[in-house]
Every structure is written in C-alpha cells, then in structure tokens.
Amino acid sequence: MKLKAGFVTQDMGNEQIMVATGKAKFSGFVRSNRTAAEIIEALKTETTEEAIVEMLFAKYDATREVIAESVSKVLDQLRSIGALDE
C-alpha cells in the first residue's frame, strides 16, 4: 500500500498537516499527531501494515498489540478519505 499522489504533507512542529490536492476526491486537510505522521511518512513509499507496525515497535516502548491497533486506526481513517493506493 502507498499514500496516493493527490495528498501532500507538511510538518508543523508537533503535528503534520496533510492536504488533498485537486487530484484527490477528498476535499480538505487532515491534522496528524507525531505517531500518525510517522505512519503517513512510511506510506510515501510502498509498504505493508506489518512493516509499519515493526518500524514503530522498534522505536516506541509499547506492546505490539497497542501499536498494531493504532496503525490499523490510522490506516482505516486514510482509507475512509481515499488516501491509500492498495
């Protein structure tokens, strides 16, 4: 899976803003915290849900289950706005 080309991101300190360009069906922007921003950054290249979970598990002091749940929620939100190519 990968973030669709119609979405552009910008870091704004402790959050990331993702804006849909004219190429996207979604109209608006998404504000993300640092963890969600890391997931979105990982999606700028072809990856899998499991690879994202592994990346975050290596970085954060949390259980794999908690990380997997968080990744799943973010991916579901991105799917709901049509931001993922799968």
Side-chain angles (χ1 to χ4, degrees):
M1 77 181 81
K2 187 175 177 182
L3 188 67
K4 284 188 177 178
F7 290 85
V8 179
T9 62
Q10 177 68 43
D11 285 329
M12 307 291 285
N14 290 333
E15 66 182 2
Q16 180 187 67
I17 305 294
M18 183 171 70
V19 179
T21 66
K23 298 175 186 176
K25 292 181 182 179
F26 175 76
S27 176
F29 69 95
V30 176
R31 290 173 42 181
S32 303
N33 64 23
R34 285 298 342 143
T35 305
E38 289 186 64
I39 295 168
I40 292 168
E41 285 300 312
L43 289 164
K44 289 184 176 181
T45 59
E46 188 67 35
T47 191
T48 65
E49 185 170 346
E50 184 59 30
I52 295 169
V53 170
E54 289 299 319
M55 175 202 57
L56 295 175
F57 183 67
K59 185 173 184 174
Y60 292 104
D61 184 26
T63 66
R64 189 178 306 274
E65 182 179 274
V66 168
I67 291 171
E69 185 177 319
S70 296
V71 169
S72 180
K73 283 182 182 179
V74 171
L75 293 177
D76 286 346
Q77 291 171 340
L78 293 172
R79 283 182 186 104
S80 74
I81 63 169
L84 293 181
D85 271 330
E86 297 187 85

